[in-house]
Amino acid sequence: MSGIDAILHDFAALVRQGDCLPPEARAQGPLRVGVDLGTANLVLAVVDAAGRPVAGMSQRSGGIRDGIVVDYPATVRSVRAMKAALETRLGQRLTRAATAIPPGILPGNAKAIGNVIEAAEFELVEILDEPLAAARLLGVTEGAVVDVGGGTTGISVLKGGKVLASVDEATGGTHMTLVLAGALRLSLADAEAMKLDPAEAREVFSLVRPVVDKMASIVAGVLTRFPAVETVHVVGGACSFADFAPVFAAHLGRRVLKPAEPLLVTPLGIALYPEGAL
């Protein structure tokens, strides 16, 4: 198991068990918070001064669509409630937070995302593109990072730690749900539940494979401009299927790596903002 996978497994355990790292095990210094406002999931990640996961929380989203706040009051209420629950768990206030957006969304939409964080009584210290947040956790400075979210697929290409291109397309886990509902004549709620059931993963993937093929073709189109890119890192909840990375690799003709707990990569990366970020 890689060091990053071990960190992700530790964070996943904290989230699922509703637990936190004991104070005596934390590095001295202020806690940092990452808020990931996704179409499918809202995730808050808390790390210590050394970047180790301290606590986290995840819940289904509803007020965000493709990086756009469509229900501002409900989203603020959800983030406030999650913040309060984590503060109770930790026994201290959480004051500063960063967040992320899909690449290329309009400035007004990015501002609305930032406003949610501030309305939840955080000091907003940074807004960055989601694939870059993932790259920060993964330590990627060369290659491509693909963040497959509920509503969008974001691609960032990096060389020497600098971004050469950043693109976002409106296809993601929600589109998988729509295809599944149509194929099996299910309600959207039942299709979503089936998609998230590990016991149904093989059948679900066979039905949503065309959506994955489309995602891969989008990434392939971006990478035609960057033939030197050898490795593509995929993250995000929608890439959790076991066959996702092999399908991408077959389309791209490049090495495709998927970390453990891909849903939690971006929120942890968001929380790793520089200490002096404002």
Side-chain angles (χ1 to χ4, degrees):
M1 182 186 300
S2 73
I4 297 299
D5 282 350
I7 290 170
L8 287 164
H9 280 304
D10 289 345
F11 182 48
L14 294 173
V15 171
R16 290 169 184 152
Q17 296 168 12
D19 204 352
C20 65
L21 192 68
E24 62 272 17
R26 304 173 199 166
Q28 290 189 347
L31 298 179
R32 289 175 283 174
V33 182
V35 182
D36 189 1
L37 302 177
T39 297
N41 299 281
L42 304 178
V43 184
L44 267 63
V46 183
V47 302
D48 67 11
R52 291 177 298 189
V54 171
M57 182 173 289
S58 175
Q59 71 175 46
R60 299 299 290 173
S61 186
I64 306 291
R65 187 171 301 143
D66 303 346
I68 299 171
V69 181
V70 296
D71 190 336
Y72 182 83
T75 304
V76 171
R77 285 195 300 271
S78 293
V79 176
R80 280 180 178 169
M82 295 171 75
K83 176 178 184 285
L86 285 173
E87 288 175 335
T88 298
R89 189 182 304 171
L90 292 163
Q92 69 180 89
R93 289 195 63 213
L94 299 171
T95 59
R96 306 177 84 228
T99 192
I101 55 175
I105 72 169
L106 295 174
N109 295 327
K111 180 172 174 49
I113 292 286
N115 289 344
V116 169
I117 308 306
E118 292 179 331
E121 300 181 354
F122 282 114
E123 177 191 356
L124 176 64
V125 296
E126 184 182 48
I127 301 178
L128 75 164
D129 285 353
E130 290 166 350
L132 296 183
R136 186 155 63 189
L137 177 72
L138 299 175
V140 175
T141 58
E142 304 278 344
V145 178
V146 178
D147 191 333
V148 187
T152 64
T153 296
I155 311 107
S156 288
V157 180
L158 299 98
K159 182 176 179 59
K162 295 183 178 180
V163 179
L164 301 182
S166 201
V167 178
D168 192 62
E169 294 287 343
T171 186
T174 299
H175 300 80
M176 292 178 175
T177 303
L178 290 169
V179 167
L180 191 61
L184 300 179
R185 298 183 178 180
L186 298 173
S187 68
L188 289 178
D190 287 343
E192 182 71 10
M194 181 178 179
K195 185 184 74 175
L196 298 176
D197 185 351
E200 302 284 1
R202 185 175 296 275
E203 181 180 358
V204 168
F205 191 80
S206 70
L207 293 171
V208 304
R209 170 73 182 267
V211 181
V212 181
D213 291 335
K214 180 181 179 182
M215 293 172 180
S217 69
I218 290 169
V219 175
V222 174
L223 294 183
T224 55
R225 294 180 281 150
F226 304 98
V229 170
E230 298 179 351
T231 303
V232 177
H233 302 262
V234 292
V235 302
C239 77
S240 297
F241 296 99
D243 292 331
F244 190 100
V247 167
F248 253 56
H251 275 279
L252 302 180
R254 308 172 199 235
R255 184 172 65 154
V256 175
L257 301 179
K258 183 182 71 173
E261 306 291 347
L263 170 65
L264 300 178
V265 173
T266 297
L268 264 186
I270 295 169
L272 297 176
Y273 56 81
E275 190 60 40
L278 293 174

